[in-house]
Amino acid sequence: MRISVPTEVKNNEYRVALTPSGVHDLVRSGHEVVVQAGAGAGSSMPDAEYVDAGALRVDDPAEVWGRAELVMKVKEPIASEYAHFRDDLTLFTYLHLAADRPLTERLIASGMTAIAYETVQLAGGGLPLLAPMSEVAGRLAPLVGAHTLMRSQGGLGLLMSGVPGTRPARVTVIGGGVAGANAAVVASGMGADVTIYDTNIARLRMLDDHFGGRVKTAASNPMDLGRAVVDSDLVIGSVLIPGARAPKLVTSDMVERMRPGSVLVDIAVDQGGCFEDTHPTTHDAPTFPVHDTVFYCVANMPGAVPNTSTSALTNATLPYARAIAANGWRAAMTKDGALAAGLNITGGSVVNPGVAAAHDLPLTPLADVLRPLGRPATDRPDRAQPAGPGPPDPR
């Protein structure tokens, strides 16, 4: 298969979809891998390493896209890349379509196949391609939160750990999944007073055992969560419904009642955010004021540490890329239900329930898309099904 890796063009996105070792793995299996010149430079992975690994180095992005059967990226395509879409192309990347109607419409119109890293889902509910970036974003959140709490950054001037005779920062983490647990690890390690809120009591029980009392856990409900938010110095939002828009759990009224200079970091911003006042920001301008607080809502947080992020992402995506390259996406998905859950759009049809629900679009059943060629579809007069998001899976 012909696989292309374009240079990421989103603001301050320094990650790349494959490391040189990942390229070498695919080339050894007989595939052609095209890497755009400079694609790995931001991750401290120079062109020479890709060429040594067997990649073809190409300067022109149109040629990179044009030669591909499979395009592997990190972030969703932006408007300047839409012209490269075509119906015989497969795209494998983070998409977060529930929060991006323009991209959803362009993918539908193009007829191409779009597979989202963030909706590849194991039978037990795990998200293997989201997990590594959730780990990175979770560990970054307390760091950027601590920085933003400095008075020079608009915060209330509070040191996360405090010093003897002063109180540490009160940190509320919403969502005890991968990102939330990693945020709690770092925040507690910095000496903060940390509480994780989640609706999954079994998950809270596991976290309580894991942290051994260093982090508090609490069952999430609107009243208790509201009180905790108002009393927090730093709130980290890390709630996810795979493929769907994140629920708005922190209201503007809660934020208005927080101490001036308090900080809120929304890890869920890619999926629309779990704070009412969230809107995406960039590493160039990461924060904005809401009432008297400071919001940090960078949509590609792991892009700040691209060397680590690129390596972690390739470790996770490479087995799935191998399967797609060796068998084609349809056959690979027929064999692997986890990969099949990653299919969002193909042939002008929306296959992911969360995306369909977010944009009020008809849903085509996955089984109809993956049925063997020549086998008739179901005998229903309209194969579109009512859309609805899957069960919550806080990250």
Side-chain angles (χ1 to χ4, degrees):
M1 182 174 281
R2 297 187 304 276
I3 304 165
S4 286
V5 179
T7 300
E8 297 295 321
V9 294
K10 193 166 186 173
N11 178 278
N12 277 289
E13 182 50 74
Y14 300 113
R15 290 172 290 179
V16 61
L18 286 173
T19 61
S21 60
V23 168
H24 182 257
D25 183 288
L26 293 169
V27 171
R28 282 190 63 192
S29 297
H31 307 294
E32 176 186 280
V33 182
V34 174
V35 177
Q36 187 175 341
S43 294
S44 302
M45 299 173 186
D47 288 348
E49 292 185 11
Y50 285 97
V51 173
D52 288 346
L56 301 176
R57 178 185 176 278
V58 173
D59 292 300
D60 181 15
E63 183 180 353
V64 173
W65 283 79
R67 294 178 68 134
E69 296 172 273
L70 171 66
V71 168
M72 293 186 67
K73 289 180 85 288
V74 178
K75 291 303 291 179
E76 73 281 353
I78 63 173
S80 63
E81 297 173 295
Y82 291 175
H84 302 308
F85 293 0
R86 61 180 198 272
D87 61 7
D88 62 344
L89 187 65
T90 299
L91 175 65
F92 193 30
T93 187
Y94 289 116
L95 286 170
H96 301 290
L97 294 180
D100 193 340
R101 187 174 184 99
L103 175 58
T104 301
E105 291 176 343
R106 288 303 295 264
L107 289 171
I108 292 171
S110 73
M112 69 191 292
T113 296
I115 307 167
Y117 293 159
E118 73 275 6
T119 63
V120 173
Q121 188 166 12
L122 301 173
L127 303 170
L129 305 190
L130 188 61
M133 295 305 96
S134 294
E135 290 168 344
V136 173
R139 294 188 180 212
L140 278 175
L143 302 181
V144 299
H147 179 71
T148 308
L149 277 169
M150 294 181 181
R151 189 63 180 171
S152 59
Q153 303 302 311
L156 59 84
L158 184 68
L159 182 64
M160 282 276 277
S161 62
V163 295
T166 70
R167 72 173 182 85
R170 297 188 186 100
V171 178
T172 293
V173 178
I174 306 174
V178 175
N182 278 271
V185 166
V186 172
S188 62
M190 296 173 75
D193 178 6
V194 182
T195 304
I196 301 176
Y197 280 79
D198 201 295
T199 57
N200 186 332
I201 303 302
R203 177 67 176 176
L204 292 177
R205 185 174 291 113
M206 186 276 291
L207 290 170
D208 192 70
D209 289 343
H210 174 75
F211 284 108
R214 292 178 292 115
V215 170
K216 297 189 286 290
T217 60
S220 183
N221 61 72
M223 179 179 291
D224 290 339
L225 181 61
R227 289 171 177 166
V229 167
V230 170
D231 194 41
S232 295
D233 304 301
L234 171 62
V235 177
I236 297 173
S238 58
V239 177
L240 172 72
I241 300 174
R245 291 186 68 88
K248 300 295 186 182
L249 301 179
V250 176
T251 67
S252 186
D253 177 66
M254 293 177 193
V255 174
E256 187 174 15
R257 291 183 285 128
M258 294 178 74
R259 278 183 291 275
S262 298
V263 173
L264 298 96
V265 178
D266 197 342
I267 299 175
V269 61
D270 280 330
Q271 294 291 99
C274 57
F275 306 154
E276 182 180 351
D277 296 297
T278 286
H279 65 73
T281 61
T282 68
H283 290 287
D284 281 343
T287 63
F288 59 92
V290 176
H291 303 300
D292 293 320
T293 72
V294 185
F295 273 46
Y296 181 102
C297 302
V298 174
N300 59 328
M301 287 177 63
V305 286
N307 186 272
T308 297
S309 298
T310 291
S311 296
L313 182 61
T314 298
N315 291 341
T317 60
L318 189 57
Y320 295 99
R322 284 194 207 106
I324 294 170
N327 305 297
W329 65 266
R330 194 185 305 270
M333 289 181 180
T334 301
K335 296 178 181 178
D336 187 344
L339 179 60
L343 185 61
N344 278 211
I345 291 173
T346 187
S349 299
V350 177
V351 180
N352 180 273
V355 175
H359 303 301
D360 195 24
L361 294 168
L363 175 69
T364 297
L366 179 63
D368 284 2
V369 172
L370 298 183
R371 72 180 186 276
L373 295 178
R375 179 178 173 181
T378 58
D379 58 2
R380 288 167 293 187
D382 180 0
R383 67 179 185 175
Q385 298 295 305
D393 184 359
R395 62 177 171 182

